[in-house]
């Protein structure tokens, strides 16, 4: 879910088929149309013309279709497994959560639950489940569905793969009635109004065997109770959804929503220009060059707003499992804090902002983006690891990694140090920053090999990397993105998949994490969250280089209006809720003025007569090609 929406460790949608008439059919149809126009021209008034849909947003059945170009492919349609942004964004549309976030200021608002109340000791939480939410197969959504979802995650490791941290502190979950859910805790938990877990229908999911392997992609439509229902899916291609007309908050205004995967972001931008897609999300944002090229395009709006993501370099601190077994082949030098800090001090964040993001980002510091001001942290002047190559060289010398006669830093094994950096092949910013790393770290005597892959998941989970470009979307409550750096997030064994981001396991960090989770005082909790970020910064495990803007674009002749989050200046794709796609309104061709409408009728009649005279010869010279589905 988009609590954690990982920045694609690996990094769709078919559009409708248009039907074309054959030439002799079209000729007859044209004659009929012109005759109809002549006969009815006097009856048509400029006050009631039939509005037209924007051409590329209307399906061949007359439905309004909103097509979103995305640069990620879905990792799983199972909310128990998915971690990628595109997948968790789709789950927001498929299933209701107990609560949602207000698009104006991110405070908790009702979702499947209409209210929630703690006991005096904060160890028991009671949720009132709404009685007007139905599953798309017609069955009522109840508290039993929520209780079953949480209990499955508490008792099945496979079901806890993606969201297990939310229930780790749960003692017992029950549903005394269809509208009453009770969660008993082991100790107080401050995130009970921010349980970002999709609630699934028990009567469908109780038939699933192995949750660790079930991707929820065998039967369509997929039963859900969100604003949209998934009706079709093809891996590495598309996801198609239809509007849920019985959604309790009201049906979406677009009839269908399609996410189409583009491996090449330039191709996605070209598709936007041609009207083949309605919206381009980027990977995860448009490049400055792409955004600039679209600014002057007619009927295209570029949305450039503070984002909810961070962009970082994650260090492999030595992959290990909960059972203590080590695995992977991360460079031994990175186990030294001085080395990690030296690498921090040899990264010029200002250059990255100015040259790579070209101003569409702000310099990174703490783990939580400045958009979430309550939790955003900045290092003190004495703590700040500013760009200082000379000091970086000194730290490496102090750590015992000296330069040889060729100016190369040498490891304890006597071999020159060369770091393998995992990067996403679809992200041009990874490659651009990677070139700077080769230059900056080269001046330290350290080699850099960029390993840019379409799928970085396998080497990452195997711990077979030294550093990696990383980034996550942060929700208004930052608990999840903090939890992925705890020892509890490590895989049980090297063969298992844990919730860890990059195998960090630090005792002091874990202590602080536990304290923030149980702290109900907002100010005290915020202070603890900042201490957690300070710890990550000082240890050098996570080098947050930038907070990229959400840079995206859409066609105004296909989308008339759409809600950003936050509403004043926020993103559309990858929101903390479903507000953008649920609120999007199809564009229609505006009504003509009375004078232009009358003139248009007369001109149309004359043009129709001329057209009838020449249409036969036109088809004698040219045959029309049939349309193809494009994916």
């Amino acid at each position: 879910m988009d609590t954690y929406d990982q920045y694609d460790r690996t990094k769709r949608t078919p559009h409708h088929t248009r039907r074309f008439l054959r030439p002799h059919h079209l000729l007859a149809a044209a004659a009929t149309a012109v005759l109809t126009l002549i006969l009815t021209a006097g009856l048509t008034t400029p006050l009631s013309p039939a509005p037209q849909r924007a051409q590329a947003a209307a399906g061949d059945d007359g439905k309004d279709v909103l097509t979103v170009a995305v640069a990620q492919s879905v990792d799983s349609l199972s909310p128990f497994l998915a971690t990628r942004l595109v997948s968790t964004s789709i789950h927001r549309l498929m299933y209701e959560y107990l609560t949602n976030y207000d698009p104006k200021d991110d405070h908790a608002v009702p979702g499947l639950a209409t209210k929630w109340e703690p006991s005096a000791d904060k160890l028991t939480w009671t949720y009132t489940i709404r009685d007007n939410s139905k599953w798309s197969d017609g069955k009522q959504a109840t508290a039993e569905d929520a209780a079953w979802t949480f209990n499955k995650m508490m008792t099945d490791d496979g079901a806890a793969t993606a969201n297990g941290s939310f229930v780790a502190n749960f003692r017992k979950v029950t549903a005394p009635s269809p509208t009453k859910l009770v969660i008993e805790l082991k100790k107080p938990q401050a995130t009970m109004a921010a349980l970002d877990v999709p609630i699934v229908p028990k009567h469908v999911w109780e038939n699933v065997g192995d949750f660790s392997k079930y991707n929820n992609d065998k039967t369509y439509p997929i039963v859900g109770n969100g604003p949209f229902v998934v009706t079709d899916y093809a891996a590495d291609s598309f996801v198609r959804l239809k509007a849920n007309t019985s959604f309790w908050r009201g049906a979406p205004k677009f009839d269908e929503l399609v996410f189409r995967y583009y491996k090449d972001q330039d191709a996605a931008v070209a598709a936007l220009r041609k009207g083949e897609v309605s919206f381009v999300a980027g990977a995860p944002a448009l490049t400055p060059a792409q955004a600039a090229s679209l600014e002057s395009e007619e009927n295209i709006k570029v949305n450039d707003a503070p984002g909810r993501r961070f962009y970082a370099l994650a260090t492999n601190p030595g992959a290990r499992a909960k059972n203590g077994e080590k695995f992977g082949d991360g460079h031994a030098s990175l186990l030294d804090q001085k080395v990690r800090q030296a690498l921090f001090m040899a990264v010029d964040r200002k250059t990255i902002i100015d040259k790579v993001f070209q101003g569409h980002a702000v310099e990174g510091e703490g783990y939580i983006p400045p958009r979430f001001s309550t939790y955003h942290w900045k290092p003190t002047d004495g703590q700040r690891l500013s760009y200082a190559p000379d000091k970086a060289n000194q730290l490496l010398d102090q750590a015992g990694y000296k330069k040889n006669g060729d100016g190369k830093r040498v490891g304890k094994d006597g071999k020159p140090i060369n770091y393998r950096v995992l990067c996403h092949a679809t992200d041009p910013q990874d490659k651009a920053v990677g070139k700077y790393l080769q230059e900056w770290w080269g001046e330290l005597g350290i080699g850099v090999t960029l390993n840019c892959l379409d799928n970085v998941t396998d080497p990452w989970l195997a711990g077979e990397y030294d550093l990696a470009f990383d980034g996550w979307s942060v929700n208004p409550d930052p608990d999840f993105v903090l939890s992925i750096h705890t020892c509890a997030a490590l895989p049980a064994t090297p063969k298992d998949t844990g919730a860890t981001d990059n195998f960090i396991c630090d005792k002091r960090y874990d202590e602080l994490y536990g304290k923030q989770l149980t702290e109900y005082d907002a100010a005290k909790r915020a202070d603890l969250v900042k201490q957690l970020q300070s710890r990550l910064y000082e240890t050098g495990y996570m080098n947050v280089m930038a907070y990229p803007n959400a840079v995206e674009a859409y066609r105004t002749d296909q989308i008339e209006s759409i809600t950003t989050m936050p509403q004043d200046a926020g993103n559309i794709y990858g929101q903390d809720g479903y507000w953008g796609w649920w609120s999007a309104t199809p564009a229609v061709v505006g009504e003509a003025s009375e004078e232009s409408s009358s003139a248009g009728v007369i001109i149309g009649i004359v043009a129709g007569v001329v057209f009838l005279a020449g249409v036969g010869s036109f088809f004698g010279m040219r045959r029309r090609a049939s349309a193809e589905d494009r994916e």
Side-chain angles (χ1 to χ4, degrees), residues 2 92 308 563-565 571-580:
D2 58 355
R92 281 277 185 187
R308 54 181 284 234
T563 300
T564 61
M565 185 175 186
N571 57 296
I572 297 170
Y573 177 70
Q575 292 183 357
D576 303 303
Y578 43 65
W579 310 109

Side-chain angles (χ1 to χ4, degrees), residues 537-554:
Y537 187 89
E538 289 180 340
T539 56
Y541 290 125
M542 292 293 295
N543 181 353
V544 178
M545 298 179 289
Y547 308 113
N549 286 4
V551 186
E552 50 203 2
Y554 64 91

Side-chain angles (χ1 to χ4, degrees), residues 354-413:
D354 293 344
K355 301 297 185 182
V356 177
F357 290 97
Q358 295 181 29
H360 296 275
V362 295
E363 289 186 37
E365 295 174 310
Y367 196 61
I368 309 300
R371 168 167 153 177
F372 303 106
S373 57
T374 299
Y375 299 112
H376 179 59
W377 169 85
K378 293 185 177 184
T380 62
D381 290 341
Q383 185 182 30
R384 192 181 308 276
L385 298 173
S386 301
Y387 181 57
D390 290 343
K391 291 183 179 180
N393 273 304
Q394 292 173 12
L395 280 176
L396 291 171
D397 289 339
Q398 293 172 13
Y401 295 96
K402 306 286 187 178
K403 290 182 178 180
N404 62 16
D406 296 326
K408 305 294 184 183
R409 295 278 173 184
V410 178
K412 304 297 184 182
D413 58 2

Side-chain angles (χ1 to χ4, degrees), residues 12-15 67-70 237 258-262 276-277:
R12 302 181 178 34
T13 66
H15 81 286
T67 302
V68 180
V70 294
S237 184
V258 182
F259 291 87
R260 182 184 299 167
Y261 171 61
Y262 283 84
E276 293 175 352
V277 300

Side-chain angles (χ1 to χ4, degrees), residues 21 23-36 608 611-612 615 619:
L21 296 176
H24 64 282
H25 291 157
L26 185 55
L27 179 59
T32 301
V34 172
L35 180 59
T36 301
F611 173 77
L612 282 175
V615 72
F619 283 110

Side-chain angles (χ1 to χ4, degrees), residues 115-119 124-128:
K115 63 179 180 179
W116 44 96
E117 298 174 314
S119 59
T124 301
W125 284 74
T126 302
Y127 299 80
T128 301

Side-chain angles (χ1 to χ4, degrees), residues 3 13 24 29 74 86-87 131 192 210 252 299 332 341 351 390 394 402 412 414 435 466 544 560 579 591 630:
T3 310
T13 66
H24 64 282
V74 170
V86 64
S87 308
D131 59 7
M192 297 305 287
D210 189 346
N299 297 323
Q341 290 183 339
T351 292
D390 290 343
Q394 292 173 12
K402 306 286 187 178
K412 304 297 184 182
K435 290 182 180 179
D466 298 320
V544 178
E560 181 177 314
W579 310 109
E591 296 180 356
R630 304 186 190 95

Side-chain angles (χ1 to χ4, degrees), residues 97-120:
Y97 298 22
L98 288 181
T99 61
N100 207 328
Y101 298 102
D102 189 278
K104 293 181 180 179
D105 59 9
D106 292 332
H107 75 271
V109 295
L112 184 60
T114 58
K115 63 179 180 179
W116 44 96
E117 298 174 314
S119 59

